[in-house]
Amino acid sequence: MIDYEKTKAWRSDPVRHTYTERDTILYALGVGFASDPLVLEELRFVYEKELQAVPTMAAVLASPGFWMRDRKELGIDYLKLVHGEQGVTIHSPLPAAGTLIGQSRVTRIVDKGEGKGATMHVEKTLTDEASGQHVATSEMVLFLRGDGGFSKNGGGDEPAPAAPATPDAAPDVTIELPTRADAAVLYRLSGDINPLHIDPAVATKAGFPRPILHGLATYGNACRGILAKFCGHDASRMKSIRARLTSPVYPGETLVLDCWQLGSEEIAFRASVKERGVQVLANGRAVLGA
């Protein structure tokens, strides 16, 4: 069972991550940019000429790795862990290449009850090594399906404020975002090499008919759609983006991104798979700047 005090006190060592323009381009390809290389606006994410980084790349830079598995004294049942939500706040545009220092910490652990699991919030700050600039803050919310009921031994935090609901109205804009058949093969080169996303035998053992796309790649595809429709492909306008990851996508499927404009600076969104009608992102919010 999870040890609340030890887990809440967990802090990563500083993670120094040097990345190049090639890494930035690989990430963009993995979330669908330039699937049609004649869409000139998307070349800004895959061509070293005036290259800009996709804001959601902050979620994968300077990661502390799968520390829940390596720190057995924390008592986390990592085999039943699910990535449930992701948010990124951009304080200064991500450099297209450079060295960032990432530091991660647990900020909240909520007991949902015996047999109901727990949720854990992990915050990561990214700082530019050269300038000292705080570049981004990333938060992941993990659903610990095997760790409900830990608070009977003491500890436990109050739940985070509920995610804002999707507007009860027809979307203002609907965007179709095809995903590449090789999307997971490309995206895994940005750091998540779980064989579930490339090995058919592993996917079958996990209960899937074929390898699935990474949840963070689906999240990055939503960022792609919002940058195209609302930001003129200008990455510097994206200030934050957050969503719940609700169901897997198979590479090659088409995402349907429904968007609502909540004033000039906020977009609500959700995403589903066109071919199966399954919702894959929920409670999405993006905040934009001028």
Side-chain angles (χ1 to χ4, degrees), residues 155-229:
D157 298 312
E158 291 296 316
T166 301
D168 187 18
D172 297 314
V173 175
T174 295
I175 308 163
E176 289 199 0
L177 299 166
T179 65
R180 302 173 185 269
D182 60 355
V185 177
L186 284 169
Y187 185 83
R188 71 191 302 271
L189 299 178
S190 292
D192 186 346
I193 58 172
N194 186 336
L196 176 64
H197 304 292
I198 194 169
D199 189 328
V202 173
T204 299
K205 188 175 181 180
F208 298 103
R210 56 193 174 97
I212 61 174
L213 187 60
H214 307 67
L216 285 185
T218 303
Y219 169 72
N221 270 275
C223 181
R224 170 169 66 98
I226 292 168
L227 287 174
K229 190 66 180 180

Side-chain angles (χ1 to χ4, degrees), residues 58-267:
V60 303
L61 294 172
S63 168
F66 197 12
W67 56 272
M68 309 80 155
R69 176 188 59 199
D70 300 331
R71 296 291 300 272
K72 292 182 174 56
E73 74 277 11
L74 302 181
I76 297 171
D77 187 350
Y78 65 87
L79 293 175
K80 294 183 178 180
L81 179 156
V82 175
H83 192 168
E85 189 172 334
Q86 181 65 47
V88 162
T89 300
I90 303 296
H91 308 292
S92 177
L94 284 176
T99 298
L100 298 180
I101 306 298
Q103 290 193 280
S104 299
R105 66 188 182 103
V106 174
T107 60
R108 189 188 303 266
I109 313 171
V110 179
D111 190 351
K112 300 174 74 68
E114 190 76 40
K116 297 180 180 179
T119 56
M120 181 169 69
H121 296 238
V122 182
E123 177 189 88
K124 177 182 68 180
T125 59
L126 294 174
T127 304
D128 185 272
E129 184 181 61
S131 67
Q133 174 75 40
H134 182 190
V135 174
T137 302
S138 171
E139 184 188 49
M140 64 190 308
V141 180
L142 302 171
F143 183 30
L144 310 178
R145 294 179 298 156
D147 293 304
F150 71 83
S151 60
K152 66 185 178 184
N153 295 330
D157 298 312
E158 291 296 316
T166 301
D168 187 18
D172 297 314
V173 175
T174 295
I175 308 163
E176 289 199 0
L177 299 166
T179 65
R180 302 173 185 269
D182 60 355
V185 177
L186 284 169
Y187 185 83
R188 71 191 302 271
L189 299 178
S190 292
D192 186 346
I193 58 172
N194 186 336
L196 176 64
H197 304 292
I198 194 169
D199 189 328
V202 173
T204 299
K205 188 175 181 180
F208 298 103
R210 56 193 174 97
I212 61 174
L213 187 60
H214 307 67
L216 285 185
T218 303
Y219 169 72
N221 270 275
C223 181
R224 170 169 66 98
I226 292 168
L227 287 174
K229 190 66 180 180
F230 300 100
C231 302
H233 291 94
D234 181 357
S236 70
R237 290 196 58 202
M238 180 71 72
K239 302 306 178 185
S240 68
I241 180 168
R242 188 179 189 94
R244 288 178 54 219
L245 315 176
T246 56
S247 193
V249 173
Y250 294 102
E253 292 184 321
T254 301
L255 296 174
V256 178
L257 186 68
D258 292 325
C259 301
W260 292 261
Q261 288 190 266
L262 308 177
S264 61
E265 296 183 347
E266 188 172 9
I267 307 296

